[in-house]
């Protein structure tokens, strides 16, 4: 089994550690996919410096695993630290460095990036954190290339996410990387969350809950677009499907997603191609047409920009 160790500490919220435990601890998926998975499913361990911690709200949690278990895990998840302005404990820093030396995968959620940075594992790497803390992280750790825009950053063996809920996006990305699009989509359906969220965290800075995000017309229009990815979609007909004028559609789409319709559509087309690359024998040219790109050249260009690899290399990871 692939061991996922999640840090627990005094005063923590149960949200971030709980979301990671929920995704990586889906035992029914372990049983369902055990015969077909190319990699083993996960086993989860909640680890703390002390055997007993007090969580936000007054709950007391007793843990059976310590930082030695965290250092020995295959994947280490660091939720938000208690105080981003205070250095993490030397014991935790040493455990992270030990895990890094073993080649473990290191993951932070929100301000958990400060613990990874303190251990030096983010040096000369791109990373993100909650937009509130991005400037502080860059100032305190100048060797880290801090990008406040994305929901998460995959720097290979070290991965960081933005605000708390972006941890869901990152955990799903890890499942997608380990087990493929189909399994990740099944996890997303069980949690009733989006398999992939377009746009970055910039959309949440000014308006955390945009009015347009609750507009059923916009949701209907986006659902229609996803059903017609295989053909050209014009802004005018997309706006008509959303029962909005072109001008209102553009304005409300930006409020709801933080990006433009064209950029969102391009991201969805790339995402739709992943399952075809993994499971079909269709050529790159055929796949590009199936998901609505004008040409294979255009498809490759957008695929590399979004996935940081080529379609052929991505396919080789699942067929090699």
């Amino acid at each position: 089994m692939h061991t996922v160790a999640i840090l627990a500490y005094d005063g923590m919220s149960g949200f971030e550690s709980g979301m990671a435990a929920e995704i990586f601890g889906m035992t029914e998926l372990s049983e369902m996919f055990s015969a077909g998975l190319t990699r083993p499913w996960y086993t989860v361990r909640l680890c703390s410096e002390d055997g007993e911690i007090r969580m936000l709200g007054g709950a007391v949690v007793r843990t059976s695993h310590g930082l030695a278990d965290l250092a020995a895990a295959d994947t280490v998840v660091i939720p938000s630290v208690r105080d981003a302005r205070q250095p993490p404990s030397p014991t935790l820093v040493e455990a992270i460095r030990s895990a890094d030396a073993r080649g473990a995968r290191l993951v932070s959620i929100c301000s958990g990036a400060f613990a990874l940075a303190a251990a030096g594992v983010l040096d000369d790497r791109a990373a993100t954190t909650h937009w509130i803390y991005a400037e502080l992280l860059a100032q305190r750790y100048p060797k880290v290339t801090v990008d406040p825009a994305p929901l998460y950053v995959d720097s290979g063996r070290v991965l960081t996410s933005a605000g708390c809920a972006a941890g869901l996006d990152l955990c799903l990305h890890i499942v997608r990387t380990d087990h493929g699009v189909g399994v990740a989509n099944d996890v997303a359906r069980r949690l009733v969350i989006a398999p992939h969220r377009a746009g970055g965290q910039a959309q949440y800075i000014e308006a955390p809950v945009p009015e347009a995000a609750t507009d059923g017309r916009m949701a209907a229009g986006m659902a229609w677009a996803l059903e017609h990815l295989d053909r050209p979609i014009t802004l005018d007909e997309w706006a008509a499907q959303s029962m909005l004028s072109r001008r209102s559609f553009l304005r409300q789409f930006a409020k709801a997603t933080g990006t433009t319709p064209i950029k969102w559509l391009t991201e969805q087309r790339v995402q739709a191609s992943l399952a075809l690359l993994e499971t079909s024998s269709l050529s790159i040219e055929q796949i590009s047409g199936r998901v609505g790109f004008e040409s294979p050249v255009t498809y490759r260009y957008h695929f590399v920009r979004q996935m940081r690899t080529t379609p052929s290399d991505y396919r080789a990871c699942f067929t090699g």
Side-chain angles (χ1 to χ4, degrees):
M1 298 289 282
H2 182 107
T3 303
V4 177
I6 305 170
L7 177 68
Y9 56 87
D10 231 27
M12 70 180 294
S13 160
F15 178 56
E16 295 164 34
S17 58
M19 76 171 73
E22 176 69 20
I23 290 177
F24 297 121
M26 285 187 170
T27 54
E28 67 271 24
L29 285 185
S30 176
E31 297 167 0
M32 184 180 301
F33 294 114
S34 59
L37 287 176
T38 56
R39 296 185 181 184
W41 195 245
Y42 313 96
T43 182
V44 175
R45 293 177 178 174
L46 194 65
C47 304
S48 66
E49 290 191 51
D50 305 309
E52 182 175 291
I53 61 169
R54 288 170 175 78
M55 300 180 65
L56 188 66
V60 177
V61 176
R62 292 182 176 86
T63 59
S64 301
H65 304 286
L67 293 190
D69 298 292
L70 183 138
D74 300 301
T75 294
V76 174
V77 179
I78 308 295
S80 294
V81 295
R82 186 185 313 166
D83 186 349
R85 292 164 181 79
Q86 298 296 323
S89 74
T91 309
L92 174 59
V93 168
E94 183 56 37
I96 293 173
R97 288 174 176 167
S98 177
D100 180 53
R102 290 180 42 258
R105 178 165 54 196
L106 305 174
V107 180
S108 70
I109 300 174
C110 195
S111 61
F114 284 83
L116 296 186
V121 299
L122 294 184
D123 288 356
D124 303 318
R125 281 190 167 102
T128 193
T129 186
H130 195 293
W131 57 269
I132 288 177
Y133 301 119
E135 185 176 352
L136 177 62
L137 183 65
Q139 290 174 351
R140 184 174 296 171
Y141 302 102
K143 291 184 179 181
V144 182
T145 303
V146 180
D147 186 350
L151 293 174
Y152 59 83
V153 171
D154 183 341
S155 293
R157 207 168 38 80
V158 182
L159 305 93
T160 53
S161 81
C164 300
L168 285 168
D169 300 275
L170 180 51
C171 290
L172 276 179
H173 169 73
I174 291 170
V175 172
R176 190 182 302 115
T177 300
D178 288 352
H179 299 297
V181 173
V183 176
N185 287 350
D186 192 75
V187 171
R189 282 192 295 269
R190 289 165 182 264
L191 295 174
V192 197
I193 59 176
H196 173 75
R197 282 199 290 168
Q201 63 171 324
Q203 62 187 290
Y204 302 102
I205 295 175
E206 297 297 336
V209 186
E211 181 180 351
T214 62
D215 192 325
R217 295 173 299 175
M218 183 64 66
M222 294 169 80
W224 172 84
L226 290 174
E227 293 173 359
H228 295 83
L229 290 177
D230 60 337
R231 69 172 183 80
I233 296 175
T234 67
L235 283 176
D236 288 333
E237 66 175 332
W238 195 353
Q241 291 291 332
S242 304
M243 295 181 288
L244 293 165
S245 68
R246 179 188 176 109
R247 183 177 178 181
S248 295
F249 173 73
L250 290 171
R251 183 177 65 253
Q252 293 195 32
F253 195 97
K255 288 182 179 179
T257 67
T259 188
T260 67
I262 299 304
K263 288 181 179 179
W264 182 88
L265 193 60
T266 299
E267 289 184 353
Q268 302 311 309
R269 283 178 164 147
V270 169
Q271 288 296 313
S273 75
L274 300 184
L276 295 175
L277 289 170
E278 292 180 25
T279 62
S280 79
S281 59
L282 295 172
S283 68
I284 302 299
E285 289 73 16
Q286 290 173 315
I287 291 174
S288 69
R290 288 274 183 102
V291 296
F293 282 101
E294 297 175 356
S295 70
V297 174
T298 304
Y299 169 54
R300 288 190 181 94
Y301 171 77
H302 289 294
F303 192 98
V304 170
R305 286 195 66 183
Q306 186 169 327
M307 303 300 296
R308 300 296 190 269
T309 187
T310 66
S312 298
D313 286 345
Y314 181 90
R315 167 174 270 175
C317 291
F318 293 90
T319 60

